[in-house]
Amino acid sequence: MSIQPHASETAASLANDAGEGWIDTIPPAAATGSLAAAYERQQAKLGRVTELTQIGSLYPDLVEARLNLYAVVDATPSNVPDWARRAVALLTSVLNGCRFCTVGHVEGLTAAGHEELAEELKAHPDTASAQDPAVDALLEYTRKLVRRPGEITIKDVKALRDAGWDDLAILDVNNLAAYYSYINRVASGLGLTREA
Amino acid sequence: MAWITTIKPEDATDRLAEAYAWQAQRLGSPTEFTQLGSLEPEIVHARLALYKASENTGSALSAREKNLAGHVTSVVNRTPHCTSRSRIKLRELGFDDTQLKAIDALDFTGLNDREAVVARYAEKLTRDPGAVSEADIKELRRVGLGDREIVDANNQVAHLNYTNRVANGLGLLSEVADDFPAFDTVPA
């Protein structure tokens, strides 16, 4: 499965792959050494090197570490269904006001067969329901963790357990919401601000 | 400690034991934070690798500025564990108790211009990432940050927004002791 956080760049944005952020980036044609190697790995997997990857290119080790973390996040072997993981990623990006990331995650959840939920999460992130109590529990935890991380208590984790999730699933949803809270800020904080 | 199952260092095997040993090379043991991810050893490895890359960018951002950005992030996110670690670093980097108290209240008036601008960027990117604009980046440039320093500051804040949510979201709320070797947690 692939949530494709970097897939917020649709075909329309590919013409802009030189990047339109607020800082210098190194395009694939100019990359050398470990940066070129990291780019090549993404090129082999996605068929292109995303803007989000390039935005960190002044630090090749950072590019590599981010790509590596993304691969691990994406492959976490929990029992949270693929579409629910996509919903968590989308909800996090909407709550963080990351228009650039939101577009790709709407596409991802829609591709998983949940177009209505995708539109609902985008339009009404505070109240959208997956019409599935267990998944709604994941969404509720995500809302609080993203918006008010200082207010999470053991009751919020207990609510996940009560909804049927085991510890690895809890680790997974926590990691997803936290990871996209990171990536959203890389995009929004360096100028990937348009709707991709 | 945590609200989910974690694996203690003495019980770790294979890839998890490798990850724990990596951090223990400098620190003597894996941190409590590292152990939070132990049900999925590859997450532990990937987090440590990102942490190492984040802390070794080598930009011209000073250690004070970089750790200030991280601390402000953890303060805004109300993360007791992470703030207790970064407060130790700021103290070692020369911030006195009066300054630390002000920073903890998000009062940056006692900082020099450059540090205050970095702190304000950290606060805004943490609190309302969608509201960050090119004017905020221009402000960082005005006080002398170049592209490398801006990427470094952005990553520091963004990365702490990740780790803060891992700590608070899984129940790591304890504060480290004042003699905790906070600079030794970065893996070798």
Side-chain angles (χ1 to χ4, degrees), chain B residues 25-87:
Chain B
Q25 278 177 39
R26 291 189 65 217
L27 189 64
S29 61
T31 62
E32 290 176 283
F33 177 88
T34 294
Q35 294 175 52
L36 285 175
S38 55
L39 290 180
E40 178 45 36
E42 296 309 324
I43 288 180
V44 177
H45 273 275
R47 285 177 179 167
L48 287 174
L50 177 65
Y51 185 31
K52 181 178 178 180
S54 296
E55 294 297 323
N56 289 287
T57 49
S59 83
L61 204 63
S62 73
R64 281 171 62 97
E65 292 157 356
K66 187 162 177 165
N67 285 285
L68 177 65
H71 185 69
V72 167
T73 302
S74 299
V75 169
V76 172
N77 284 330
R78 294 173 52 192
T79 316
H81 185 81
C82 300
T83 49
S84 72
R85 284 171 52 168
S86 51
R87 196 176 291 115

Short mmCIF file of all heavy atoms in Angstrom, two decimals, chain B residues 25-87:
data_model
loop_
_atom_site.label_atom_id
_atom_site.label_comp_id
_atom_site.label_asym_id
_atom_site.label_seq_id
_atom_site.Cartn_x
_atom_site.Cartn_y
_atom_site.Cartn_z
N GLN B 25 25.79 3.81 22.14
CA GLN B 25 27.22 4.05 21.95
C GLN B 25 27.66 5.34 22.64
O GLN B 25 28.72 5.42 23.25
CB GLN B 25 27.56 4.15 20.46
CG GLN B 25 27.73 2.83 19.76
CD GLN B 25 27.98 3.05 18.26
OE1 GLN B 25 28.68 3.96 17.87
NE2 GLN B 25 27.38 2.21 17.44
N ARG B 26 26.86 6.37 22.50
CA ARG B 26 27.22 7.65 23.12
C ARG B 26 26.54 7.85 24.47
O ARG B 26 27.13 8.38 25.40
CB ARG B 26 26.82 8.81 22.20
CG ARG B 26 27.64 8.91 20.95
CD ARG B 26 27.33 10.20 20.19
NE ARG B 26 27.72 11.38 20.93
CZ ARG B 26 27.03 12.52 20.94
NH1 ARG B 26 25.92 12.62 20.26
NH2 ARG B 26 27.45 13.55 21.63
N LEU B 27 25.30 7.42 24.56
CA LEU B 27 24.50 7.76 25.74
C LEU B 27 24.58 6.71 26.85
O LEU B 27 24.31 7.00 28.00
CB LEU B 27 23.02 7.93 25.30
CG LEU B 27 22.05 8.48 26.32
CD1 LEU B 27 22.43 9.92 26.71
CD2 LEU B 27 20.62 8.45 25.78
N GLY B 28 24.96 5.49 26.47
CA GLY B 28 25.02 4.41 27.45
C GLY B 28 23.77 3.55 27.46
O GLY B 28 23.79 2.42 27.93
N SER B 29 22.68 4.10 26.95
CA SER B 29 21.42 3.35 26.87
C SER B 29 20.51 4.06 25.87
O SER B 29 20.74 5.23 25.55
CB SER B 29 20.75 3.31 28.25
OG SER B 29 20.45 4.63 28.67
N PRO B 30 19.49 3.39 25.35
CA PRO B 30 18.53 4.08 24.50
C PRO B 30 17.63 4.96 25.36
O PRO B 30 17.36 4.64 26.51
CB PRO B 30 17.73 2.94 23.85
CG PRO B 30 17.82 1.82 24.84
CD PRO B 30 19.16 1.96 25.50
N THR B 31 17.18 6.07 24.80
CA THR B 31 16.31 6.96 25.57
C THR B 31 14.92 6.34 25.73
O THR B 31 14.54 5.42 25.00
CB THR B 31 16.12 8.32 24.86
OG1 THR B 31 15.49 8.08 23.60
CG2 THR B 31 17.45 9.03 24.67
N GLU B 32 14.18 6.91 26.66
CA GLU B 32 12.77 6.49 26.82
C GLU B 32 12.01 6.78 25.54
O GLU B 32 11.13 6.01 25.14
CB GLU B 32 12.12 7.27 27.98
CG GLU B 32 12.62 6.90 29.35
CD GLU B 32 11.99 7.79 30.41
OE1 GLU B 32 12.42 8.94 30.54
OE2 GLU B 32 11.06 7.32 31.08
N PHE B 33 12.33 7.90 24.91
CA PHE B 33 11.65 8.25 23.66
C PHE B 33 11.89 7.16 22.61
O PHE B 33 10.96 6.72 21.93
CB PHE B 33 12.15 9.61 23.13
CG PHE B 33 11.52 9.97 21.81
CD1 PHE B 33 10.32 10.65 21.78
CD2 PHE B 33 12.10 9.59 20.61
CE1 PHE B 33 9.71 10.96 20.56
CE2 PHE B 33 11.51 9.89 19.39
CZ PHE B 33 10.30 10.57 19.37
N THR B 34 13.13 6.73 22.48
CA THR B 34 13.46 5.70 21.48
C THR B 34 12.65 4.43 21.73
O THR B 34 12.16 3.79 20.80
CB THR B 34 14.97 5.41 21.52
OG1 THR B 34 15.66 6.58 21.08
CG2 THR B 34 15.34 4.24 20.63
N GLN B 35 12.49 4.10 23.01
CA GLN B 35 11.79 2.86 23.35
C GLN B 35 10.29 2.92 23.01
O GLN B 35 9.64 1.89 22.88
CB GLN B 35 11.99 2.54 24.83
CG GLN B 35 13.45 2.22 25.17
CD GLN B 35 13.70 2.03 26.65
OE1 GLN B 35 13.01 1.25 27.31
NE2 GLN B 35 14.68 2.75 27.18
N LEU B 36 9.76 4.13 22.85
CA LEU B 36 8.33 4.25 22.52
C LEU B 36 7.97 3.54 21.22
O LEU B 36 6.85 3.10 21.03
CB LEU B 36 7.94 5.73 22.39
CG LEU B 36 7.80 6.54 23.67
CD1 LEU B 36 7.53 8.00 23.32
CD2 LEU B 36 6.67 5.99 24.53
N GLY B 37 8.92 3.48 20.28
CA GLY B 37 8.63 2.88 18.98
C GLY B 37 8.97 1.41 18.88
O GLY B 37 8.93 0.82 17.79
N SER B 38 9.29 0.79 20.00
CA SER B 38 9.95 -0.51 19.95
C SER B 38 9.10 -1.66 19.41
O SER B 38 9.65 -2.70 19.05
CB SER B 38 10.50 -0.88 21.34
OG SER B 38 9.48 -0.82 22.31
N LEU B 39 7.79 -1.48 19.30
CA LEU B 39 6.98 -2.56 18.70
C LEU B 39 7.26 -2.68 17.20
O LEU B 39 6.92 -3.69 16.59
CB LEU B 39 5.49 -2.31 18.93
CG LEU B 39 5.00 -2.47 20.37
CD1 LEU B 39 3.51 -2.20 20.45
CD2 LEU B 39 5.32 -3.88 20.91
N GLU B 40 7.86 -1.66 16.61
CA GLU B 40 8.23 -1.71 15.20
C GLU B 40 9.68 -1.22 15.05
O GLU B 40 9.93 -0.02 14.90
CB GLU B 40 7.26 -0.86 14.35
CG GLU B 40 7.56 -0.79 12.88
CD GLU B 40 7.90 -2.13 12.25
OE1 GLU B 40 7.33 -3.16 12.62
OE2 GLU B 40 8.78 -2.14 11.38
N PRO B 41 10.63 -2.16 15.13
CA PRO B 41 12.05 -1.76 15.16
C PRO B 41 12.48 -0.88 13.98
O PRO B 41 13.36 -0.03 14.14
CB PRO B 41 12.78 -3.12 15.12
CG PRO B 41 11.82 -4.06 15.76
CD PRO B 41 10.45 -3.61 15.34
N GLU B 42 11.87 -1.06 12.82
CA GLU B 42 12.28 -0.23 11.68
C GLU B 42 11.92 1.24 11.91
O GLU B 42 12.60 2.14 11.41
CB GLU B 42 11.66 -0.75 10.38
CG GLU B 42 12.15 -2.14 9.99
CD GLU B 42 13.67 -2.28 9.98
OE1 GLU B 42 14.36 -1.31 9.61
OE2 GLU B 42 14.18 -3.36 10.38
N ILE B 43 10.85 1.48 12.63
CA ILE B 43 10.51 2.87 12.98
C ILE B 43 11.60 3.44 13.89
O ILE B 43 12.02 4.59 13.74
CB ILE B 43 9.13 2.95 13.67
CG1 ILE B 43 8.02 2.71 12.62
CG2 ILE B 43 8.92 4.29 14.36
CD1 ILE B 43 6.61 2.77 13.18
N VAL B 44 12.06 2.63 14.82
CA VAL B 44 13.11 3.09 15.74
C VAL B 44 14.36 3.47 14.94
O VAL B 44 14.95 4.54 15.15
CB VAL B 44 13.44 2.00 16.78
CG1 VAL B 44 14.59 2.47 17.68
CG2 VAL B 44 12.21 1.68 17.62
N HIS B 45 14.76 2.61 14.02
CA HIS B 45 15.94 2.90 13.19
C HIS B 45 15.74 4.19 12.38
O HIS B 45 16.62 5.05 12.34
CB HIS B 45 16.20 1.74 12.21
CG HIS B 45 17.05 0.66 12.78
ND1 HIS B 45 18.43 0.70 12.78
CD2 HIS B 45 16.72 -0.50 13.38
CE1 HIS B 45 18.91 -0.38 13.35
NE2 HIS B 45 17.90 -1.14 13.73
N ALA B 46 14.59 4.29 11.73
CA ALA B 46 14.36 5.44 10.85
C ALA B 46 14.31 6.74 11.64
O ALA B 46 14.80 7.78 11.17
CB ALA B 46 13.06 5.23 10.07
N ARG B 47 13.73 6.68 12.85
CA ARG B 47 13.69 7.90 13.67
C ARG B 47 15.10 8.31 14.10
O ARG B 47 15.45 9.49 14.09
CB ARG B 47 12.81 7.67 14.90
CG ARG B 47 11.33 7.67 14.61
CD ARG B 47 10.53 7.37 15.87
NE ARG B 47 9.09 7.38 15.61
CZ ARG B 47 8.19 6.90 16.45
NH1 ARG B 47 8.57 6.38 17.62
NH2 ARG B 47 6.91 6.95 16.16
N LEU B 48 15.91 7.34 14.48
CA LEU B 48 17.28 7.67 14.90
C LEU B 48 18.08 8.24 13.73
O LEU B 48 18.86 9.19 13.90
CB LEU B 48 17.98 6.43 15.48
CG LEU B 48 17.51 5.98 16.87
CD1 LEU B 48 18.18 4.65 17.24
CD2 LEU B 48 17.83 7.04 17.94
N ALA B 49 17.89 7.69 12.54
CA ALA B 49 18.62 8.18 11.37
C ALA B 49 18.21 9.61 11.05
O ALA B 49 19.05 10.46 10.70
CB ALA B 49 18.36 7.26 10.17
N LEU B 50 16.92 9.89 11.16
CA LEU B 50 16.45 11.26 10.91
C LEU B 50 16.98 12.21 11.97
O LEU B 50 17.39 13.34 11.67
CB LEU B 50 14.92 11.29 10.89
CG LEU B 50 14.30 12.68 10.70
CD1 LEU B 50 14.65 13.24 9.32
CD2 LEU B 50 12.78 12.64 10.87
N TYR B 51 17.00 11.75 13.20
CA TYR B 51 17.51 12.57 14.31
C TYR B 51 18.98 12.92 14.06
O TYR B 51 19.40 14.08 14.17
CB TYR B 51 17.34 11.79 15.60
CG TYR B 51 17.71 12.51 16.88
CD1 TYR B 51 17.56 13.89 17.03
CD2 TYR B 51 18.17 11.78 17.99
CE1 TYR B 51 17.89 14.52 18.22
CE2 TYR B 51 18.49 12.40 19.18
CZ TYR B 51 18.36 13.77 19.29
OH TYR B 51 18.68 14.39 20.48
N LYS B 52 19.75 11.93 13.66
CA LYS B 52 21.17 12.16 13.39
C LYS B 52 21.35 13.16 12.25
O LYS B 52 22.15 14.09 12.34
CB LYS B 52 21.86 10.83 13.05
CG LYS B 52 23.35 10.98 12.76
CD LYS B 52 24.01 9.65 12.46
CE LYS B 52 25.50 9.87 12.13
NZ LYS B 52 26.19 8.61 11.84
N ALA B 53 20.60 12.98 11.17
CA ALA B 53 20.71 13.89 10.02
C ALA B 53 20.27 15.30 10.42
O ALA B 53 20.90 16.30 10.02
CB ALA B 53 19.85 13.39 8.86
N SER B 54 19.23 15.40 11.22
CA SER B 54 18.72 16.70 11.63
C SER B 54 19.72 17.47 12.48
O SER B 54 19.84 18.69 12.38
CB SER B 54 17.42 16.54 12.43
OG SER B 54 16.40 15.98 11.62
N GLU B 55 20.42 16.73 13.32
CA GLU B 55 21.34 17.39 14.25
C GLU B 55 22.73 17.62 13.67
O GLU B 55 23.57 18.24 14.31
CB GLU B 55 21.45 16.56 15.54
CG GLU B 55 20.15 16.50 16.34
CD GLU B 55 19.69 17.86 16.85
OE1 GLU B 55 20.54 18.69 17.23
OE2 GLU B 55 18.47 18.12 16.85
N ASN B 56 22.97 17.08 12.48
CA ASN B 56 24.31 17.20 11.88
C ASN B 56 24.29 17.92 10.54
O ASN B 56 25.09 17.61 9.65
CB ASN B 56 24.94 15.81 11.72
CG ASN B 56 25.34 15.21 13.06
OD1 ASN B 56 26.32 15.64 13.67
ND2 ASN B 56 24.58 14.24 13.52
N THR B 57 23.41 18.89 10.39
CA THR B 57 23.34 19.61 9.12
C THR B 57 24.57 20.47 8.89
O THR B 57 24.97 20.68 7.76
CB THR B 57 22.09 20.52 9.11
OG1 THR B 57 22.08 21.26 10.32
CG2 THR B 57 20.82 19.71 8.97
N GLY B 58 25.14 20.99 9.97
CA GLY B 58 26.33 21.82 9.81
C GLY B 58 26.07 23.17 9.17
O GLY B 58 26.95 23.75 8.54
N SER B 59 24.87 23.70 9.34
CA SER B 59 24.59 25.03 8.81
C SER B 59 25.22 26.07 9.72
O SER B 59 25.72 25.75 10.81
CB SER B 59 23.08 25.28 8.71
OG SER B 59 22.56 25.68 9.96
N ALA B 60 25.11 27.33 9.31
CA ALA B 60 25.66 28.41 10.12
C ALA B 60 24.67 28.87 11.20
O ALA B 60 24.93 29.85 11.89
CB ALA B 60 26.06 29.58 9.24
N LEU B 61 23.56 28.17 11.30
CA LEU B 61 22.66 28.44 12.43
C LEU B 61 23.43 28.08 13.70
O LEU B 61 24.01 27.00 13.79
CB LEU B 61 21.43 27.54 12.27
CG LEU B 61 20.10 27.94 12.92
CD1 LEU B 61 19.59 29.26 12.33
CD2 LEU B 61 19.07 26.84 12.72
N SER B 62 23.45 28.97 14.67
CA SER B 62 24.22 28.67 15.88
C SER B 62 23.50 27.59 16.69
O SER B 62 22.30 27.37 16.54
CB SER B 62 24.39 29.93 16.73
OG SER B 62 23.16 30.26 17.36
N ALA B 63 24.26 26.96 17.59
CA ALA B 63 23.65 25.96 18.45
C ALA B 63 22.56 26.58 19.30
O ALA B 63 21.52 25.96 19.57
CB ALA B 63 24.72 25.31 19.34
N ARG B 64 22.78 27.82 19.73
CA ARG B 64 21.76 28.52 20.52
C ARG B 64 20.49 28.68 19.70
O ARG B 64 19.38 28.40 20.17
CB ARG B 64 22.27 29.89 20.95
CG ARG B 64 23.21 29.86 22.14
CD ARG B 64 23.84 31.24 22.35
NE ARG B 64 22.89 32.29 22.66
CZ ARG B 64 22.60 32.71 23.90
NH1 ARG B 64 23.19 32.16 24.93
NH2 ARG B 64 21.74 33.69 24.09
N GLU B 65 20.63 29.13 18.46
CA GLU B 65 19.45 29.37 17.61
C GLU B 65 18.72 28.07 17.31
O GLU B 65 17.49 27.99 17.36
CB GLU B 65 19.88 30.07 16.32
CG GLU B 65 20.37 31.48 16.53
CD GLU B 65 21.29 31.99 15.44
OE1 GLU B 65 21.63 31.22 14.51
OE2 GLU B 65 21.69 33.16 15.52
N LYS B 66 19.49 27.06 16.98
CA LYS B 66 18.87 25.78 16.60
C LYS B 66 18.11 25.16 17.77
O LYS B 66 16.98 24.70 17.63
CB LYS B 66 19.96 24.83 16.09
CG LYS B 66 19.44 23.54 15.51
CD LYS B 66 20.51 22.88 14.65
CE LYS B 66 20.03 21.56 14.11
NZ LYS B 66 20.87 21.07 13.00
N ASN B 67 18.74 25.16 18.93
CA ASN B 67 18.08 24.55 20.09
C ASN B 67 16.95 25.42 20.63
O ASN B 67 15.98 24.91 21.20
CB ASN B 67 19.12 24.24 21.17
CG ASN B 67 19.95 23.03 20.80
OD1 ASN B 67 19.47 21.90 20.89
ND2 ASN B 67 21.17 23.24 20.34
N LEU B 68 17.08 26.73 20.42
CA LEU B 68 15.98 27.63 20.78
C LEU B 68 14.75 27.31 19.92
O LEU B 68 13.63 27.24 20.43
CB LEU B 68 16.43 29.08 20.55
CG LEU B 68 15.41 30.18 20.80
CD1 LEU B 68 15.02 30.23 22.28
CD2 LEU B 68 15.96 31.54 20.34
N ALA B 69 14.97 27.11 18.63
CA ALA B 69 13.85 26.78 17.73
C ALA B 69 13.15 25.50 18.20
O ALA B 69 11.92 25.43 18.25
CB ALA B 69 14.35 26.62 16.30
N GLY B 70 13.94 24.51 18.57
CA GLY B 70 13.37 23.26 19.04
C GLY B 70 12.64 23.43 20.35
O GLY B 70 11.54 22.88 20.55
N HIS B 71 13.22 24.19 21.25
CA HIS B 71 12.61 24.37 22.57
C HIS B 71 11.27 25.11 22.46
O HIS B 71 10.28 24.72 23.09
CB HIS B 71 13.56 25.12 23.50
CG HIS B 71 13.07 25.25 24.90
ND1 HIS B 71 12.96 24.18 25.76
CD2 HIS B 71 12.62 26.32 25.60
CE1 HIS B 71 12.49 24.58 26.93
NE2 HIS B 71 12.27 25.88 26.84
N VAL B 72 11.26 26.19 21.66
CA VAL B 72 10.02 26.95 21.49
C VAL B 72 8.92 26.03 20.94
O VAL B 72 7.77 26.08 21.37
CB VAL B 72 10.25 28.17 20.56
CG1 VAL B 72 8.92 28.78 20.12
CG2 VAL B 72 11.11 29.21 21.26
N THR B 73 9.29 25.18 20.01
CA THR B 73 8.32 24.23 19.45
C THR B 73 7.72 23.35 20.55
O THR B 73 6.50 23.20 20.65
CB THR B 73 9.01 23.34 18.40
OG1 THR B 73 9.56 24.18 17.38
CG2 THR B 73 8.05 22.35 17.79
N SER B 74 8.58 22.81 21.37
CA SER B 74 8.11 21.92 22.44
C SER B 74 7.29 22.66 23.49
O SER B 74 6.37 22.08 24.09
CB SER B 74 9.30 21.21 23.10
OG SER B 74 9.99 20.43 22.15
N VAL B 75 7.61 23.92 23.70
CA VAL B 75 6.83 24.73 24.64
C VAL B 75 5.42 24.96 24.08
O VAL B 75 4.42 24.78 24.77
CB VAL B 75 7.53 26.08 24.93
CG1 VAL B 75 6.59 27.02 25.68
CG2 VAL B 75 8.80 25.86 25.73
N VAL B 76 5.36 25.37 22.81
CA VAL B 76 4.05 25.64 22.19
C VAL B 76 3.20 24.37 22.22
O VAL B 76 1.99 24.41 22.47
CB VAL B 76 4.21 26.15 20.74
CG1 VAL B 76 2.86 26.23 20.03
CG2 VAL B 76 4.89 27.51 20.74
N ASN B 77 3.83 23.25 21.97
CA ASN B 77 3.10 21.97 21.96
C ASN B 77 2.86 21.40 23.36
O ASN B 77 2.27 20.32 23.48
CB ASN B 77 3.84 20.94 21.10
CG ASN B 77 3.67 21.20 19.62
OD1 ASN B 77 2.64 21.72 19.19
ND2 ASN B 77 4.67 20.82 18.82
N ARG B 78 3.32 22.11 24.38
CA ARG B 78 3.15 21.67 25.77
C ARG B 78 3.61 20.23 25.97
O ARG B 78 2.83 19.34 26.32
CB ARG B 78 1.68 21.85 26.19
CG ARG B 78 1.29 23.34 26.21
CD ARG B 78 -0.19 23.53 26.45
NE ARG B 78 -0.65 22.79 27.63
CZ ARG B 78 -1.93 22.61 27.92
NH1 ARG B 78 -2.86 23.09 27.11
NH2 ARG B 78 -2.28 21.94 28.99
N THR B 79 4.88 20.04 25.75
CA THR B 79 5.48 18.71 25.79
C THR B 79 6.49 18.64 26.94
O THR B 79 7.65 19.00 26.77
CB THR B 79 6.22 18.43 24.46
OG1 THR B 79 5.41 18.86 23.38
CG2 THR B 79 6.54 16.97 24.32
N PRO B 80 6.07 18.19 28.11
CA PRO B 80 6.97 18.26 29.26
C PRO B 80 8.28 17.49 29.09
O PRO B 80 9.34 17.99 29.50
CB PRO B 80 6.12 17.68 30.40
CG PRO B 80 4.98 16.96 29.75
CD PRO B 80 4.76 17.64 28.44
N HIS B 81 8.23 16.31 28.48
CA HIS B 81 9.47 15.54 28.35
C HIS B 81 10.48 16.27 27.44
O HIS B 81 11.64 16.43 27.80
CB HIS B 81 9.17 14.14 27.80
CG HIS B 81 10.38 13.26 27.74
ND1 HIS B 81 10.87 12.59 28.85
CD2 HIS B 81 11.23 12.98 26.73
CE1 HIS B 81 11.95 11.92 28.52
NE2 HIS B 81 12.20 12.14 27.24
N CYS B 82 10.00 16.68 26.29
CA CYS B 82 10.91 17.32 25.32
C CYS B 82 11.42 18.66 25.84
O CYS B 82 12.59 19.00 25.64
CB CYS B 82 10.22 17.49 23.97
SG CYS B 82 9.67 15.92 23.24
N THR B 83 10.56 19.44 26.51
CA THR B 83 11.04 20.73 27.02
C THR B 83 12.06 20.53 28.13
O THR B 83 12.99 21.32 28.25
CB THR B 83 9.87 21.61 27.55
OG1 THR B 83 9.07 20.84 28.43
CG2 THR B 83 9.02 22.15 26.43
N SER B 84 11.91 19.46 28.90
CA SER B 84 12.88 19.25 29.97
C SER B 84 14.26 18.94 29.39
O SER B 84 15.29 19.34 29.94
CB SER B 84 12.43 18.14 30.93
OG SER B 84 12.52 16.85 30.35
N ARG B 85 14.28 18.26 28.24
CA ARG B 85 15.56 17.96 27.59
C ARG B 85 16.15 19.21 26.94
O ARG B 85 17.34 19.49 27.08
CB ARG B 85 15.38 16.83 26.56
CG ARG B 85 15.26 15.46 27.22
CD ARG B 85 14.87 14.35 26.27
NE ARG B 85 15.69 14.26 25.07
CZ ARG B 85 15.66 13.22 24.23
NH1 ARG B 85 14.88 12.18 24.49
NH2 ARG B 85 16.41 13.20 23.16
N SER B 86 15.33 19.96 26.21
CA SER B 86 15.88 21.13 25.51
C SER B 86 16.23 22.26 26.48
O SER B 86 17.12 23.07 26.20
CB SER B 86 14.92 21.61 24.42
OG SER B 86 13.61 21.80 24.90
N ARG B 87 15.56 22.30 27.62
CA ARG B 87 15.90 23.34 28.61
C ARG B 87 17.32 23.12 29.13
O ARG B 87 18.07 24.07 29.36
CB ARG B 87 14.88 23.32 29.75
CG ARG B 87 14.92 24.58 30.60
CD ARG B 87 13.82 24.59 31.66
NE ARG B 87 12.50 24.73 31.12
CZ ARG B 87 11.54 23.80 31.18
NH1 ARG B 87 11.78 22.63 31.77
NH2 ARG B 87 10.35 24.00 30.67
#
